[in-house]
Structures are given as C-alpha cells and as structure tokens.
Amino acid sequence: MTPKRISGIKFEVLSPQEIRRMSVAKIFTPETYSDDGYPIESGLMDPRLGVVDPGLRCRTCGGKAGECPGHFGHIELAAPVIHVGYAKLIARLLNGTCRECGRILLKDERRDKYISQIEKLKELGQNYDEIVKEVFRVTKAVKKCPHCGADQIEVKFEKPTFYYEGDHKLTPKDVRERLEKIPDEDLPAFGIDPKACRPEWFVLTVLPVPPVTVRPSIILETGQRSEDDLTHKLVDIIRINQRFLENKEAGAPQLILEDLWELLQYHVTTYLDNEVSGIPPARHRSGRPLKTLAQRLKGKEGRFRGSLSGKRVNFSARTVISPDPNLSINEVGVPKVIAEELTVPIYVTPNNIEEAREYILRTEHPKANYVIRPDGRRIRVIDANREELAEKLEPGWIVERQLKDGDIVLFNRQPSLHRMSIMAHYVRVLPYKTFRLNPAVCPPYNADFDGDEMNLHVPQSIEAQAEAKILMAVQEHILSPRFGGPIIGGIHDHISGLYLLTRGEKLFSKEEVMELIRPINVEKIPEPKYDGKWTGKQIFSMILPDITLEFKAEICQGCEKCEGENCPHDAYVVIRNGELIKGTIDEKAVGAFKGIIIDEIVRKYGTEEAKKFIDNMTQLAIRAIMFFGFTVGIDDEDIPKEAREQIEEIMNEAEKKVEELIEAYKAGNLEPMPGRSLEETLEMKIMQVLGKARDQAGKIASQYLGMDNAAVIMAVSGARGSMLNLTQMAACIGQQSVRGERIRRGYAYSNRTLPHFKPGDLGARARGFVRSSYKRGLTPVEFFFHAVGGREGLVDTAVRTSQSGYLQRRLINALQDLKVEYDGTVREQTSGIIVQFKYGEDGVDPMKSFRGRGVDVKRIIKEVLAEKEG
Amino acid sequence: MKFKLQDHILVPKHELLSKEEAEELLKILGVRKEDLPKIRADDPIAKEIGAKPGDIVRIIRESKTAGRSVVYRLVI
C-alpha cells in the first residue's frame, strides 16, 4: 500500500476531438427527470453520466453510489462560442498574427531568436513570461504582414467576449477560422506548445458536460429535489442551443440568429465564470448569483484553499477549555465522552494479538469500538459479538480502541500563528465536558478561559505518534524561537503566590511546610532555619535544582544607588547552588516571558528538568497563595480624605493652567515650538500638562497604597496590571484620545464635541479629559468621551488582526518550502535552489540562542570562572 | 579618474571565481550552476568585475549577526 509518487503534472487545453472521445453520452434535452422521478435519456442527469442515488447502479461502469466517480458527457454547440478564460489571450493572438495568412507578424529570423531565448530560459527553469509579453507587444504594433504583405489596419478591442475589427464585429466563428490559420511553427514564439494546444481550441465547438457526481441534486425538507447551480446553467445552455438550431433550420433572419448567438455566448460565459466584469451575473429566482465553475475554485472557501490545502478531518475533537493546575504542563484533560469516541488503531500482529483481544472483550472504557477485517469490512463491536470477534481475530486485522491515558494527541488553538499553537500532549481522561490544561501553558496558545475552545487531533500511526512525542512535545517548546526566552511559565496567581511566599522571611511550622510541599517530589527537606521553622525562601529552594544566579527582581524600584545583595526592598535575587539566599521571586524569575530561572534550567539541565520545575513551581505557587488567601475588593482602591483633597487641588491647578494656555494662544502670546504650528504647540502643551497632572495624582494615591494592597502586589510583582491601572482606579483616569489627539469631532458642524459646551471650547473637560477615577465614577460627559476613546481601541484591534493575518499568510506561502539542510544551507525543497548559504548568515537557531545573540559570552565567562573556583 | 563602485562603503566586495574555484564550489555544495542565486550580467558591479554570463561571483559582506558572510551568485 505504498503511495505512488507523482512525477509531474502538465496542463493542456482540451480539443474538441478529445472532448468527444472521452464523453459517454451526447446530451440533447434540457430536461432532467421524468415524471416518475427517473433520470431521462439524453438529458442532463444520468443517461450514463454517473449515480448519486444510493441504490442505483451506473450504466457506464457499474459502480454504486460511492464507487462510481462519474463520467463526462458532451453537448454539440450549434455555433462556436468563445471561452471566457482565454478571451484576452485570443485578442493578443489575433493582434499578433496576420488577418489574411495567419502567420506571426515577424520575420522568420526574429521569430527564431525569440524562440531560442525562450528555450534557454526553460532549460534554466526560469520564467519566460517577459519574453512572451515582449513578443505580443512587438507584433501588435506591426502594420503590414512581412509574409503576405496584407495590411493589418485593425487594432482589435474586446470587452467580456467581443472582438471588434475597426467597426466590424467578429463572430466567434470568424475568430476560430483565423486562429486555425496560425501555423504550428509560429506558436512557440507566443509561449504556446503546439502539441499541447492549438489556438482554435480556445473557441468552443463542443462543451464537455460534467458528471452528475460533480453537480449533485439535493433533497429539501419538503421532499422536493433541488438541482445544483451548474445543472441549472447547463439547462439554460441546452435550451438556447436547441432554439438556435431550430431557428437556423427554419431559416430565421440574421438578426434573430445573432441575438440567439449572443445569448448562447452569455450563458456559456456565465457557466464558466459568473463573476466576469462587464456582464450581469446569472441569478437564481431568489436573486442570488449562481455559483459556477470559477467560483467553485476561487479563494478561501474554494477548492484550493478550502478543500485541498485545508480540509475537515476525522479523529478530531473540539470543546471549551478550562484550567486544571493539577495536570502537568504536557498533559491535556480529555472528557470521557470524547475519549470514548476517538480511537487509535492497533494493527494486529502476533506480538500484540493478546492485547488486542483484551480490548475487544472489555465492556468499559478503554475498549474497542470497531474491528476491521482484511477485506475492508468494518464491524462495530457490540456485546453480542464480542466473544466471536475476539476468537476470529488474526494478524492482519485492525482493532480501533478508544483513547486512553498516556496516548499522544495534538492540541491546538486557533489562530495558529506560530508552531507553539499546536503541541503534543499526553491524554488524561477526566469526567465532565471540557478540555483541561495547565494554566502555565496558556501563553503559547494565547488561550484564556473566558469561553475559548480548542481542537484535538489523534495521530493514527505509530510513526505519527513518535514524531509528535519527540518533535512537538510541550517541554521542547518552553523556549520561544522568536526571542530565545521561555514562553511557558508562571502567570497571574503563580507569580503573586511566589511573591507572597518568598518576600522577606515568613516562617512556617512543620505542618504548614508539609501542606505546601505535598504535590512535589522532594526527597529530603533541609533543616529549619529558625527554631524549628522554615522560611518561604527555603521552601522555594526545595524545588530548585543546582543553579547559581544573581539578578534584580521585577519589584526593583531602580533606586539610584543599588545596594545589590543588601537591597532593603529584598529586590536583588541571589541563588547559589540551588538555594534562594536573598531576594523575592516574581515575574522576572519565573514568569512566562522573562523567567530567568526557567531559562537557566532549560539550558543547563534540559527540557525534562525544566518541565518538572515548572510543574512544581506552579503547584507550590498555588498552594502558597491559597495559604495566604488573596482577594481584591473595592476598598483596595480607597484612599484617605487628605489624598483625595490633594488630588482635587492638582486637577484644579491643571485645568487653570490649561485655561491660561488657551488665553495665551487666543491673545497671540503663545510661542510656537520649533517646527510646529501654533495649534500643534497648544495641543501638545495641553496634553503635557494634563498628563503630568494625572501622573502626579497617581503618585499621591500610591503613597497611601501600601504593599498590603492586593492590587499593588499584583502590579509590582508583575502578575497582572501596572501602576497606571492603579492610578486610573484610585486617582484619575486621564485624557482620552483618538489617533493620538484629544477628542475633536463630535457635534457635527459647530466646532465642539458636544452641545454641552460652547463652540470653540478648547478646555480640558471639553476635549476629553476625564478627571474622575474609576472608583469615584464618571460624569455622563466623561463617560461619553471614554467610550469614544475606547471604541478606537476595539476597532483597531479588529483591523489589526485581519491585516496581520494576511501578512502572515503571504509570508507562510513564500517560506513554506524552505528547509535548512545538513550543511547549513537553506534550500528550496523541490527545486534545490539555494536561498541562503548559511541559515540567517550565522547558522544560529534562535530558539537555542540566548535572547537572540549568537554566543552568550557572559555565561561562558561565568562558567569558566566558576570552574576555576570550584 | 574613474570612480570604482567597489570603493563605496555600501558595496560589498565582489570577486570573480576562476574555473577551478567555480567547479570546486559546485562540488562542495552539490548543486548545479542554475541553483545558485543570480546576478545579471548588466549589473553595474558585474560589469566592473568583468563577469560574463556563466561565471560565478563571490560576495563578501559584513553581517550584523555573523560578522562576515560569504555568498555566491551565478552571472546570467
């Protein structure tokens, strides 16, 4: 069953002879089904075209509904019709050849020169479009045929499918006759291979009829049959064709014949492509335009992008996700219902036949769902036939067993923007209906639990499972190839928890320590530091492997003179040989994007150790935060009266200053800044004043918000939020902006934002400055401005996603065939063309580099020095 | 008193490979001439070097990530 290799694909044009040869039926009637529901002879539906109805057999090949692939028929057109797709090409050809003798409008030697140029490029594998373009361009300009001397007065025009020679309109028949005159030797100059394609074939005399399987009918709820759009179009074509024939026989006047011919051309054109510019699209009775051949293929939902490059697949599942901190980062919680439906095939061999039998005999999960015999028959495993099947089992059979714990699956969240959007996880079958994942692995998927859904795929062969396990495992992707740092790590509560645990010297009794350590595998706990009690730092050290690091924590305030180890804020982290001696653990140490400790462990001890550390660290952090208790309430944003009064004063001052600036501007006293107009200067100064006011207010508020305030803890440790968020909640929200400027437009014509203000009012309040804090609440006018500014944010998020999505698609399409070879060169996979002689010019894998640098010099120095000492 | 392109800071060093060097290169890389990146014969620097179609040019340039980077181009 080895798949065959395709050695090549060539596209040619169908000749009328070929069409007639491959057809199994000549179609005359526009009727589809007869009165008793049977398909009609010589009609559009199955004389011998194929079957859709289960039960019927195909007349041509004898296959049943699933087997018969369908067969082509043909329609003899009463008169030739132009094929829309080739319309432009036909025009160019007509202009490039003589209207009398049909030869190309070039002397033989020039023609031969072009032909040899094209040959050469073809050998190199290069594109020869430019040369062909030049040939068309050059020949179009020629006025007199170099071979027969005839004049080429006309420059022919065409719109959808019409050709005008001067004033005279060319019929498709005329066009075909001219194309027939073009000799084979001239064609290569136009980039056409005469063996594959004769120009006259661009004008259709026979129309191939696609098999019934390509345009099946559907049965509506009402029981009626509804025909496919293509079938409708073909019916139209046949009808007109008939009328045309009848009229021609009956000797109708030229005009009528011409009209009918045009109508026939319209129907054939619209059948091939219904979105051609210049003609009204054919519509259903309902008014919606028909979906014809070109539309079936075109982008996104069309054949290429929607059915070939991407498909719906079996052995997949999708549900809502929810967090489970008790899972390891590389596990995924699978609902039992899903695990019972998804299966893994066991190819029965003498080695595993006993195991396979067991699955068949089991009545509960994990059991066998289906059994497949060598003849291909699928048998559902039911209580009634269990014993029988278990006995009949032989090597060569396949047993499909349900998904169970330890199986490897691919887990993914869309949009899949980087390789970490799909990773391999181990299955853990759990009750209830959601997929469960460890929160630490949310950042690479960009998942949150506000209703997100994720997809699961089950690799079906042993090779696929092995590949997933080795290449796509979660722990292999702890470091991001984008910036060389960890992308999996502690988030939110993990960071708050560890901060609370390791700040200062909090003491824990033995029982308390045991409770915190419970999920972690520690072999031996160190001696208590103080009088039978352990410190938080000691507890954290129990999960640290032997590493040595020194760095400033996230909470570091950047005091002018850094005291280093003796930092009074406990913000300088010192870890020696796996022991946390000084400093507080927060985002910088253990977070998803900074995580210095995680980074170090991955590089020094490998991915397995790092996975264990992250598992342990998250477990410990959660227990720690549960131990302390952590909550946020509205009173976390309370500030005492004096503070509020101070803030009021600052706001008043600021508004006054703004008024002063406006006065100065109106009086003409304002000095413009270099390079900017007066208005710009005014606006900039105002924004400055107001911004400063907000910041000052924020400073006052933070004076009164201590480290016992939960919001402050989260902001400072890097778990969530920032001082700006706190400022806005407690003190003052600040200036709203649209496109970087204060709110300008609002109340149409009268030069103001709202009718609440006088026209021309440039004051703080009138242009979107919000004085209040979230806690105090906004005035209606403030609320309106806040909505205006906020809306801009939402809109540009939406626009940004679609723009970046398109960019990503283009990049991917351009890069996907490139591969780094074993010698470090980057080559295109099929053609062997070299793109880079060394990957990225330096051969460095960004995932393994330290934050993007090729060589981590500091680390080398550190290690060498440490060796010398120890 | 002609201004040589190669003298300009922004132009990397371009060298013509001899027949033997070219063969050697193709053998080491295991490619045909056509698989190399290309440079046109009427490119100003190709003309300055005196490169003819079919020749191979060696280009040495400074790289932000690698210090120095060497690439080759087939003249067409």
Side-chain angles (χ1 to χ4, degrees):
Chain A
M1 267 221 301
T2 37
K4 291 203 189 138
R5 278 217 154 194
I6 298 180
S7 55
I9 299 183
K10 191 164 178 220
F11 286 95
E12 298 183 351
V13 179
L14 266 186
S15 68
Q17 301 90 311
E18 186 103 37
I19 298 178
R20 293 193 183 101
R21 221 181 318 150
M22 75 174 178
S23 158
V24 295
K26 188 165 177 185
I27 313 290
F28 298 120
T29 345
E31 328 235 325
T32 46
Y33 292 97
S34 62
D35 288 327
D36 49 355
Y38 246 53
I40 307 186
E41 284 281 330
S42 294
L44 272 177
M45 310 294 266
D46 191 292
R48 301 129 256 173
L49 292 183
V51 251
V52 218
D53 279 331
L56 291 179
R57 272 188 177 269
C58 167
R59 286 210 220 155
T60 317
C61 66
K64 282 193 291 192
E67 296 164 351
C68 173
H71 313 278
F72 272 85
H74 75 286
I75 298 181
E76 294 285 349
L77 292 173
V81 171
I82 308 251
H83 186 308
V84 238
Y86 297 119
K88 272 215 186 107
L89 183 54
I90 294 178
R92 293 205 193 114
L93 276 178
L94 289 176
N95 271 326
T97 55
C98 172
R99 52 198 291 260
E100 296 289 321
C101 68
R103 299 227 43 204
I104 187 174
L105 295 173
L106 289 176
K107 287 233 158 115
D108 279 353
E109 18 172 68
R110 269 190 92 187
R111 172 201 72 181
D112 288 334
K113 222 175 69 173
Y114 281 122
I115 294 187
S116 60
Q117 273 186 329
I118 295 182
E119 284 298 310
K120 250 200 272 181
L121 282 187
K122 266 207 261 195
E123 256 178 60
L124 284 181
Q126 300 258 25
N127 207 336
Y128 48 85
D129 280 352
E130 289 181 359
I131 302 193
V132 172
K133 261 200 216 156
E134 197 186 315
V135 170
F136 278 125
R137 206 174 17 98
V138 169
T139 53
K140 183 170 176 176
V142 174
K143 299 290 180 187
K144 204 155 171 187
C145 175
H147 302 279
C148 73
D151 289 312
Q152 313 287 316
I153 334 164
E154 26 24 60
V155 176
K156 300 159 200 184
F157 250 149
E158 62 128 331
K159 272 303 152 143
T161 43
F162 304 121
Y163 301 94
Y164 291 94
E165 187 180 52
D167 293 321
H168 169 58
K169 183 163 174 189
L170 290 172
T171 68
K173 192 154 183 201
D174 300 331
V175 172
R176 192 164 215 270
E177 280 164 3
R178 293 225 193 152
L179 292 176
E180 278 171 353
K181 289 196 198 137
I182 306 180
D184 279 355
E185 313 88 60
D186 287 349
L187 288 177
F190 291 122
I192 299 178
D193 173 8
K195 281 177 286 175
C197 161
R198 280 285 329 168
E200 58 266 20
W201 297 345
F202 296 154
V203 181
L204 302 166
T205 39
V206 201
L207 189 67
V209 172
V212 169
T213 38
V214 172
R215 46 187 176 84
S217 47
I218 26 174
I219 317 261
L220 299 169
E221 293 166 338
T222 62
Q224 288 172 320
R225 234 202 177 87
S226 176
E227 289 303 329
D228 186 284
D229 283 4
L230 286 186
T231 309
H232 282 136
K233 212 57 239 197
L234 286 170
V235 163
D236 287 341
I237 293 181
I238 299 182
R239 285 224 170 92
I240 304 295
N241 205 33
Q242 292 279 41
R243 266 176 66 190
F244 193 78
L245 260 180
E246 289 163 12
N247 272 307
K248 207 162 90 168
E249 307 286 299
Q254 265 302 82
L255 229 53
I256 306 246
L257 286 182
E258 266 185 33
D259 268 352
L260 282 179
W261 202 344
E262 246 189 72
L263 195 50
L264 183 64
Q265 174 75 72
Y266 166 77
H267 276 144
V268 172
T269 295
T270 224
Y271 162 73
L272 296 170
D273 183 351
N274 203 11
E275 283 174 9
V276 175
S277 65
I279 57 173
R283 291 176 193 273
H284 247 287
R285 245 184 285 158
S286 57
R288 106 170 134 80
L290 291 176
K291 258 189 138 196
T292 52
L293 289 177
Q295 281 68 60
R296 286 194 180 194
L297 304 181
K298 278 215 278 213
K300 202 134 187 232
E301 316 268 311
R303 203 96 322 144
F304 289 102
R305 278 176 79 181
S307 309
L308 290 172
S309 289
K311 312 170 159 65
R312 300 204 175 242
V313 290
N314 291 333
F315 302 106
S316 54
R318 175 181 172 92
T319 19
V320 175
I321 52 171
S322 55
D324 188 341
N326 294 316
L327 289 174
S328 168
I329 52 174
N330 65 359
E331 289 178 313
V332 61
V334 180
K336 187 135 179 259
V337 243
I338 293 185
E340 287 174 346
E341 187 68 35
L342 295 175
T343 71
V344 178
I346 303 181
Y347 292 86
V348 180
T349 71
N351 294 327
N352 61 17
I353 190 162
E354 279 312 311
E355 183 192 341
R357 284 216 172 93
E358 267 198 50
Y359 280 118
I360 298 184
L361 292 171
R362 283 179 63 101
T363 45
E364 291 180 349
H365 173 88
K367 59 177 177 147
N369 277 352
Y370 279 93
V371 155
I372 307 183
R373 292 203 315 219
D375 65 354
R377 277 247 307 234
R378 264 170 159 251
I379 307 174
R380 193 171 172 73
V381 176
I382 309 184
D383 287 328
N385 59 20
R386 257 182 239 283
E387 314 248 338
E388 188 194 333
L389 283 174
E391 216 178 314
K392 285 210 192 135
L393 238 204
E394 280 185 10
W397 288 44
I398 303 176
V399 173
E400 291 189 341
R401 69 144 170 88
Q402 297 173 333
L403 202 60
K404 72 174 192 197
D405 279 10
D407 282 339
I408 304 276
V409 291
L410 299 181
F411 198 45
N412 146 251
R413 178 184 182 272
Q414 286 150 329
S416 311
L417 302 171
H418 51 2
R419 66 201 245 188
M420 291 81 88
S421 287
I422 305 189
M423 293 192 282
H425 288 253
Y426 288 97
V427 170
R428 275 277 291 271
V429 181
L430 298 172
Y432 306 117
K433 297 190 197 169
T434 55
F435 282 136
R436 257 139 291 192
L437 58 141
N438 185 316
V441 83
C442 284
Y445 290 120
N446 195 11
D448 49 33
F449 300 107
D450 58 5
D452 288 11
E453 289 183 31
M454 278 176 74
N455 310 314
L456 189 106
H457 298 269
V458 185
Q460 294 287 294
S461 70
I462 310 261
E463 294 96 327
Q465 289 166 12
E467 287 176 343
K469 192 165 166 174
I470 296 179
L471 296 172
M472 297 174 64
V474 171
Q475 58 263 36
E476 302 302 320
H477 294 281
I478 295 182
L479 297 178
S480 164
R482 176 155 56 102
F483 45 82
I487 196 175
I488 295 177
I491 53 175
H492 303 345
D493 282 351
H494 299 144
I495 299 178
S496 305
L498 287 176
Y499 170 87
L500 292 170
L501 180 68
T502 56
R503 178 139 177 80
E505 305 272 294
K506 299 200 169 84
L507 297 175
F508 300 85
S509 71
K510 187 161 188 197
E511 289 76 25
E512 291 169 339
V513 173
M514 289 299 139
E515 208 188 301
L516 289 174
I517 298 258
R518 205 158 67 79
I520 305 168
N521 288 342
V522 231
E523 283 164 0
K524 189 165 179 273
I525 30 175
E527 289 300 311
K529 196 158 177 205
Y530 301 112
D531 184 33
K533 290 199 183 234
W534 288 258
T535 64
K537 291 189 176 35
Q538 275 186 297
I539 300 179
F540 181 74
S541 307
M542 293 185 205
I543 58 172
L544 278 178
D546 185 353
I547 53 175
T548 304
L549 287 173
E550 273 186 33
F551 56 91
K552 294 198 197 132
E554 180 74 20
I555 59 178
C556 174
Q557 272 139 21
C559 359
E560 272 198 42
K561 183 169 177 292
C562 180
E563 312 245 358
E565 279 202 32
N566 304 316
C567 177
H569 309 286
D570 204 18
Y572 192 79
V573 177
V574 177
I575 301 178
R576 275 200 201 113
N577 298 111
E579 238 200 270
L580 174 62
I581 302 182
K582 291 239 163 92
T584 315
I585 299 294
D586 55 20
E587 188 190 19
K588 196 85 168 287
V590 130
F593 289 93
K594 300 185 186 171
I596 294 190
I597 298 182
I598 302 181
D599 194 83
E600 180 71 19
I601 297 181
V602 173
R603 283 172 210 286
K604 192 159 179 204
Y605 289 103
T607 54
E608 187 61 32
E609 266 310 306
K611 162 183 113 82
K612 278 198 220 145
F613 175 72
I614 297 181
D615 284 344
N616 288 337
M617 173 266 285
T618 45
Q619 301 268 31
L620 179 62
I622 303 272
R623 264 155 231 270
I625 202 175
M626 287 204 293
F627 182 87
F628 289 107
F630 196 74
T631 182
V632 177
I634 194 70
D635 54 357
D636 280 324
E637 267 62 77
D638 271 346
I639 40 181
K641 199 154 154 230
E642 314 93 64
R644 271 178 276 146
E645 286 171 356
Q646 280 179 313
I647 295 179
E648 270 298 299
E649 248 200 69
I650 296 184
M651 292 294 132
N652 290 332
E653 276 290 323
E655 278 192 14
K656 231 171 56 178
K657 258 208 97 183
V658 171
E659 288 301 320
E660 282 171 18
L661 281 172
I662 298 179
E663 288 301 310
Y665 167 74
K666 288 204 182 133
N669 288 335
L670 190 66
E671 254 200 49
M673 295 205 282
R676 307 221 185 235
S677 76
L678 261 182
E679 291 78 19
E680 286 176 350
T681 309
L682 175 68
E683 286 293 315
M684 285 180 67
K685 288 218 162 134
I686 294 184
M687 298 248 276
Q688 255 177 0
V689 165
L690 294 176
K692 233 176 92 186
R694 182 199 67 200
D695 292 337
Q696 277 181 314
K699 280 214 190 78
I700 296 184
S702 51
Q703 279 177 339
Y704 292 89
L705 296 172
M707 287 302 247
D708 52 337
N709 181 313
V712 174
I713 293 179
M714 290 193 283
V716 142
S717 65
R720 188 75 160 140
S722 61
M723 284 320 275
L724 175 61
N725 295 129
L726 288 166
T727 305
Q728 293 185 312
M729 288 193 281
C732 158
I733 296 183
Q735 174 70 47
Q736 303 304 124
S737 72
V738 165
R739 282 178 162 189
E741 300 176 333
R742 305 153 74 207
I743 313 290
R744 296 253 231 94
R745 301 185 305 158
Y747 198 56
Y749 315 97
S750 70
N751 197 15
R752 51 184 167 164
T753 46
L754 285 171
H756 306 56
F757 303 108
K758 296 209 173 79
D761 188 347
L762 292 165
R765 272 187 231 254
R767 298 267 152 166
F769 181 68
V770 177
R771 255 175 94 124
S772 326
S773 63
Y774 281 122
K775 172 158 190 301
R776 189 205 208 192
L778 284 69
T779 69
V781 165
E782 287 178 333
F783 190 89
F784 176 77
F785 287 135
H786 187 39
V788 170
R791 170 85 99 244
E792 185 192 27
L794 292 176
V795 166
D796 89 359
T797 300
V799 169
R800 227 188 6 245
T801 38
S802 58
Q803 273 195 333
S804 83
Y806 183 36
L807 175 62
Q808 199 221 19
R809 174 179 152 77
R810 288 177 288 164
L811 287 175
I812 289 179
N813 281 328
L815 299 173
Q816 66 181 348
D817 293 308
L818 299 182
K819 169 180 159 199
V820 180
E821 297 288 343
Y822 280 99
D823 65 350
T825 47
V826 177
R827 302 188 197 199
E828 204 263 325
Q829 275 196 301
T830 42
S831 66
I833 293 183
I834 295 187
V835 172
Q836 280 187 328
F837 287 87
K838 211 160 194 79
Y839 172 82
E841 288 183 357
D842 56 7
V844 171
D845 179 351
M847 182 153 94
K848 307 201 172 90
S849 77
F850 182 71
R851 310 225 176 225
R853 294 180 236 137
V855 181
D856 190 0
V857 187
K858 281 201 203 147
R859 185 204 179 80
I860 297 180
I861 296 180
K862 194 179 80 168
E863 287 188 2
V864 170
L865 287 179
E867 263 185 47
K868 275 192 82 179
E869 276 182 36
Chain B
M1 267 243 307
K2 211 161 171 233
F3 166 63
K4 286 248 271 294
L5 288 173
Q6 294 240 44
D7 292 341
H8 194 281
I9 292 189
L10 294 179
V11 176
K13 185 145 80 128
H14 288 64
E15 294 169 351
L16 247 189
L17 290 187
S18 69
K19 278 262 175 296
E20 299 84 41
E21 287 176 310
E23 253 186 61
E24 183 69 27
L25 176 73
L26 293 181
K27 209 170 88 174
I28 294 184
L29 289 175
V31 284
R32 310 170 310 182
K33 271 207 284 198
E34 294 77 27
D35 295 332
L36 293 174
K38 321 274 194 305
I39 181 172
R40 297 181 71 143
D42 48 3
D43 185 299
I45 189 108
K47 285 199 279 202
E48 192 172 286
I49 297 272
K52 300 275 178 296
D55 288 343
I56 299 186
V57 181
R58 172 192 290 127
I59 301 166
I60 305 176
R61 54 183 186 225
E62 312 292 312
S63 151
K64 276 181 293 195
T65 50
R68 191 176 293 180
S69 136
V70 180
V71 295
Y72 300 89
R73 284 186 186 270
L74 171 72
V75 182
I76 69 170

